[in-house]
Amino acid sequence: MCGIIGYIGKEKKPLQFIVKGLESLEYRGYDSAGAACIDPKGNLFIKKVKGRVKLLEDLIKKTPQKTNLGIAHTRWATHGEPTVINAHPHVNADNDIAVVHNGIIENHFTLKNELIKKGYSFVSQTDTEVIPHLIEEELKHSLTYQEAFNNAVKKLEGSFSLVVIFKNDPKKRIYAAKMDSPLVVGILKEGFYIASDISSMVQHTKNVIYLKEKQIFISDGISVNIYDLDGNEVHVKPEKITWNVEKAEKKGFETFMLKEIHEQPEILKKIARMRLKNKKIIFEELSLSKAYLKRVKRIYLTACGTAYHACFLGKYYIEEFTGIPAEVILSSEFRYTRPKLGKDKLVICISQSGETADTLASIREAKKYGSKVLSLCNVVGSTIARESEGVIYTHAGIEIGVASTKAYTSQVMTIFLLALYLSEIRGEDKDLNKNLIFKEIRAVGDKISQVFDNVKEIKKGAKKYFSYQGAFYLGRHFNYPTALEGALKNKEISYMHAEGYAAGEMKHGPIALIDNNFLVFCIATKGQVYEKMISNIQEVHARKGLIISLATQGDEKVKRISDTVIYMPYIVEELSPIINIIAFQLMAYYIAQNKGCDIDKPRNLAKSVTVE
Ligand code: M6R
């Protein structure tokens, strides 16, 4: 997720103007930034920095003033590390086309190879760099800049948005395209603004146009024209917005956490699109060889907090789909448990930030004893990603809320896909119903949205139960980690004492706590362990515990023995943890809201824990 801005108009210092606006897009990522304009001599003027927008602001203080248009970008790395070379804008070899881009160009490998064959050379590791070269190539066969831009956009696959300026365009216009990634036009007094969202423009205008999918925006600074991909003009009416700056950054949600919870359908759909191609699972960034992965005899999974819960699911998935034994170890305990490391033992570590000190220490320990490390990270170029022999990115986009939500579900989906990939390359997938599994993977995004449709019930439950002192979260098998993660979400943002248990463990001690003042969240969605969960719920029911159950749509049995039921859409049980956790994220959220907690910044916590 990156932030992009374009501007055309009569501002006296246009570049400074848009880079200021870029600051409010930093919540979308801030590992590097850059800006470009056409200088008074008609040349492309570009500045880029590694780091925050403030550094870029300092750098462009003395930029050319007489320019009518500019573009700017704040980056959240997806392809290639956060470096100046990988920062946007990206240009063609003649330095006359500049592009800023948000999203992923899924066919960039194919396009890049075709362009290399035609003599184009590349300097960055980004997917974005194919765009200026592709436009240059199209210009050779097109009558106008608009035609070349359109043709290039049509050849790009994925969900993305981009803004482009041309040094030699006689009409001196700015061009943009929206393909499944947000782009909004701001109508100013004397000019136009186009950006990833309205947070960067709310202080200048309340009149906006939300571009729709597959629309092209072109402006000369006096008027705006919007076209479809075939070049037909589309007439759209500007809308009036009422948001303030703070609300705009959060896309209208009251907190980053709630915004991030709601981003999950799109992220899970994106992961499915990226990773599933022609009945195969694709991890194009994975540098560990298939030959090595075939030889692996044991896998250790390690992480902290929420990522540790994703490891737990990783163990279940790996053991379900492959013949490799897998073990989960908390990173803070890794070196004390003395795992039998070595060449044929793979260590998989999972981390959103890629900077967690304990996880990093485990990697170093694993490498010291000859194991290879494969990390699943969200932050590209993070220390953990750099120190691991292999890395797979989870593509959740920047996560600001301290409580991890979208990072978790993207980790779970990615480790699920990795387990399937391992079974595929080791020839252990013969008995798997791949058609069904792929169909279900693709359906996850929409099923998460169905959980949002049920938010009324969740809010009602939160209101009823927020003042209780303690809660258990019970689950079995694939949903045991969901119980652990549900409890962690609740305690970290609402400070309610909550513990996750494997439901079968209740009788061995914890059940002593149950009375009519104790909340018990039970995961009883359909699957192999359903009947066993019903028995566990009955045990709690008999002791008058207050039961809040997650059940599959239409289940009457669970309803009879629960105080509150939250219905979930059906999905194969392996993927049910991704759907079920959404209900618990929302439940924790509304419990915390009822208690008046500072949800994005819970007490005593930090987003990234860089001390052991
Ligand atoms: O950045 P990491 O994934 O390595 O962070 C690990 C934990 O610190 C993190 O998941 C933490 O538990 C979150 N606050 C959970 O919401």
Side-chain angles (χ1 to χ4, degrees):
M1 205 166 80
C2 302
I4 60 179
I5 296 187
Y7 167 78
I8 187 158
K10 292 193 177 151
E11 265 300 318
K12 287 205 180 89
K13 296 179 178 177
L15 215 54
Q16 285 88 333
F17 177 63
I18 54 173
V19 170
K20 194 91 209 118
L22 203 58
E23 267 179 7
S24 50
L25 291 182
E26 273 196 316
Y27 76 92
R28 303 179 66 87
Y30 46 75
D31 59 45
S32 53
C37 67
I38 311 289
D39 74 13
K41 288 188 186 144
N43 294 318
L44 253 184
F45 171 92
I46 300 191
K47 288 285 177 217
K48 303 183 190 186
V49 294
K50 179 179 173 199
R52 315 253 338 204
V53 171
K54 182 78 191 67
L55 296 171
L56 182 67
E57 262 187 285
D58 295 343
L59 198 69
I60 58 154
K61 268 188 188 139
K62 297 183 198 114
T63 52
Q65 305 300 322
K66 279 190 188 161
T67 170
N68 68 326
L69 85 183
I71 53 178
H73 186 269
T74 176
R75 182 167 185 250
W76 167 259
T78 56
H79 292 72
E81 291 181 14
T83 58
V84 171
I85 287 185
N86 288 335
H88 299 213
H90 286 280
V91 292
N92 59 332
D94 291 341
N95 211 28
D96 51 26
I97 304 168
V99 178
V100 289
H101 154 232
N102 168 38
I104 293 173
I105 307 297
E106 287 168 10
N107 59 337
H108 77 277
F109 267 120
T110 320
L111 292 172
K112 189 171 173 177
N113 288 337
E114 285 168 12
L115 289 162
I116 288 172
K117 279 188 201 142
K118 288 181 179 152
Y120 290 87
S121 49
F122 287 75
V123 293
S124 77
Q125 301 161 299
T126 64
D127 52 341
T128 310
E129 202 188 342
V130 296
I131 305 170
H133 297 309
L134 187 64
I135 298 176
E136 180 181 328
E137 181 60 22
E138 288 301 325
L139 272 171
K140 292 179 188 160
H141 317 287
S142 307
L143 294 173
T144 62
Y145 281 82
Q146 181 172 348
E147 202 177 279
F149 179 74
N150 260 28
N151 290 344
V153 169
K154 280 191 200 166
K155 290 192 171 154
L156 302 171
E157 288 172 14
S159 52
F160 59 88
S161 54
L162 48 104
V163 187
V164 177
I165 54 174
F166 297 93
K167 174 184 149 189
N168 300 321
D169 177 10
K171 296 190 175 163
K172 298 265 174 283
R173 302 190 296 183
I174 190 161
Y175 299 73
K178 172 180 161 43
M179 306 288 280
D180 229 10
S181 231
L183 214 46
V184 192
V185 180
I187 302 164
L188 311 182
K189 256 196 190 143
E190 291 187 306
F192 301 94
Y193 211 91
I194 181 147
S196 301
D197 69 46
I198 54 178
S199 59
S200 58
M201 58 182 93
V202 274
Q203 69 261 54
H204 306 301
T205 181
K206 299 280 183 227
N207 296 321
V208 302
I209 298 170
Y210 289 98
L211 288 189
K212 296 217 170 68
E213 296 320 321
K214 300 191 173 60
Q215 285 190 337
I216 304 280
F217 153 99
I218 301 178
S219 174
D220 57 4
I222 297 162
S223 62
V224 161
N225 297 88
I226 294 172
Y227 302 91
D228 65 19
L229 281 187
D230 296 320
N232 304 309
E233 189 153 5
V234 185
H235 294 283
V236 284
K237 264 193 169 170
E239 294 176 36
K240 266 223 165 350
I241 47 161
T242 50
W243 293 0
N244 59 21
V245 178
E246 203 200 339
K247 208 170 170 195
E249 272 184 2
K250 294 172 187 151
K251 286 197 199 149
F253 291 101
E254 62 212 3
T255 61
F256 281 110
M257 182 177 172
L258 198 58
K259 173 178 94 63
E260 285 156 7
I261 289 175
H262 281 86
E263 281 169 355
Q264 292 175 105
E266 268 327 296
I267 291 165
L268 272 295
K269 281 184 200 172
K270 179 178 76 185
I271 295 173
R273 263 199 318 266
M274 281 180 71
R275 301 297 186 195
L276 305 182
K277 299 248 163 77
N278 307 325
K279 300 196 174 167
K280 286 243 165 289
I281 294 162
I282 310 289
F283 287 113
E284 59 187 25
E285 71 272 48
L286 180 58
S287 54
L288 290 178
S289 72
K290 285 186 181 168
Y292 168 72
L293 293 172
K294 278 184 193 170
R295 282 199 308 273
V296 167
K297 293 233 161 32
R298 176 173 280 275
I299 292 178
Y300 294 105
L301 296 111
T302 185
C304 302
T306 287
Y308 170 72
H309 303 148
C311 283
F312 246 111
L313 278 162
K315 170 192 159 68
Y316 289 151
Y317 294 150
I318 289 166
E319 292 188 336
E320 168 109 348
F321 299 137
T322 79
I324 318 171
E327 204 177 309
V328 193
I329 307 175
L330 272 171
S331 291
S332 52
E333 290 294 313
F334 193 86
R335 78 201 92 156
Y336 314 122
T337 53
R338 298 181 171 278
K340 303 282 168 285
L341 298 163
K343 261 192 190 158
D344 50 1
K345 314 283 169 25
L346 174 68
V347 173
I348 296 181
C349 87
I350 304 185
S351 175
Q352 186 286 128
S353 62
E355 304 296 342
T356 304
D358 283 318
T359 315
L360 196 52
S362 310
I363 291 182
R364 292 176 181 159
E365 181 85 356
K367 284 166 76 177
K368 193 160 95 192
Y369 290 98
S371 285
K372 283 202 190 301
V373 176
L374 167 58
S375 64
L376 268 59
C377 281
N378 191 32
V379 178
V380 175
S382 54
T383 312
I384 288 176
R386 280 185 280 113
E387 291 203 14
S388 307
E389 278 97 350
V391 57
I392 293 177
Y393 290 111
T394 50
H395 292 286
I398 190 166
E399 192 178 64
I400 292 178
V402 167
S404 201
T405 52
K406 60 177 184 168
Y408 176 66
T409 46
S410 67
Q411 287 163 350
V412 174
M413 180 55 97
T414 307
I415 194 79
F416 178 75
L417 289 164
L418 179 64
L420 284 175
Y421 175 77
L422 289 173
S423 85
E424 189 177 288
I425 62 169
R426 294 165 65 100
E428 294 168 330
D429 59 345
K430 308 257 170 349
D431 299 332
L432 288 179
N433 183 348
K434 282 262 190 81
N435 282 341
L436 173 71
I437 296 177
F438 278 30
K439 197 171 135 233
E440 292 286 83
I441 293 171
R442 292 194 175 100
V444 165
D446 285 335
K447 296 205 175 173
I448 295 177
S449 302
Q450 289 175 36
V451 182
F452 298 150
D453 296 342
N454 227 348
V455 73
K456 243 181 161 175
E457 275 310 303
I458 299 175
K459 281 185 177 173
K460 225 160 90 188
K463 201 164 180 188
K464 196 162 156 196
Y465 303 120
F466 77 91
S467 57
Y468 283 77
Q469 294 297 309
F472 281 150
Y473 282 72
L474 306 182
R476 282 175 179 261
H477 196 198
F478 294 118
N479 281 299
Y480 166 40
T482 313
L484 298 176
E485 176 60 9
L488 178 63
K489 279 303 80 100
N490 198 357
K491 72 181 125 193
E492 73 180 326
I493 61 167
S494 85
Y495 319 136
M496 181 187 282
H497 180 218
E499 296 304 330
Y501 277 104
E505 273 299 290
M506 281 295 282
K507 295 191 238 358
H508 303 283
I511 204 163
L513 290 176
I514 305 291
D515 62 14
N516 60 359
N517 276 316
F518 212 84
L519 298 179
V520 187
F521 292 88
C522 300
I523 309 162
T525 45
K526 286 282 159 68
Q528 293 168 59
V529 295
Y530 172 76
E531 289 299 342
K532 290 221 159 67
M533 274 307 300
I534 296 287
S535 307
N536 295 132
I537 297 177
Q538 256 152 355
E539 286 157 15
V540 177
H541 187 60
R543 285 154 186 89
K544 303 204 166 24
L546 279 159
I547 299 163
I548 303 113
S549 295
L550 304 189
T552 305
Q553 206 68 53
D555 188 325
E556 288 296 316
K557 204 161 158 184
V558 177
K559 200 173 176 183
R560 283 196 288 275
I561 46 174
S562 305
D563 294 279
T564 295
V565 179
I566 298 157
Y567 281 112
M568 299 283 121
Y570 175 77
I571 192 150
V572 283
E573 61 177 326
E574 287 85 346
L575 291 170
S576 65
I578 302 183
I579 310 297
N580 290 340
I581 195 59
I582 307 292
F584 284 162
Q585 290 170 354
L586 288 166
M587 183 59 87
Y589 185 89
Y590 290 111
I591 288 178
Q593 191 191 55
N594 275 292
K595 291 176 89 169
C597 302
D598 183 351
I599 294 176
D600 277 338
K601 294 193 186 78
R603 69 184 182 207
N604 307 336
L605 294 178
K607 183 69 190 159
S608 182
V609 185
T610 52
V611 287
E612 284 184 41

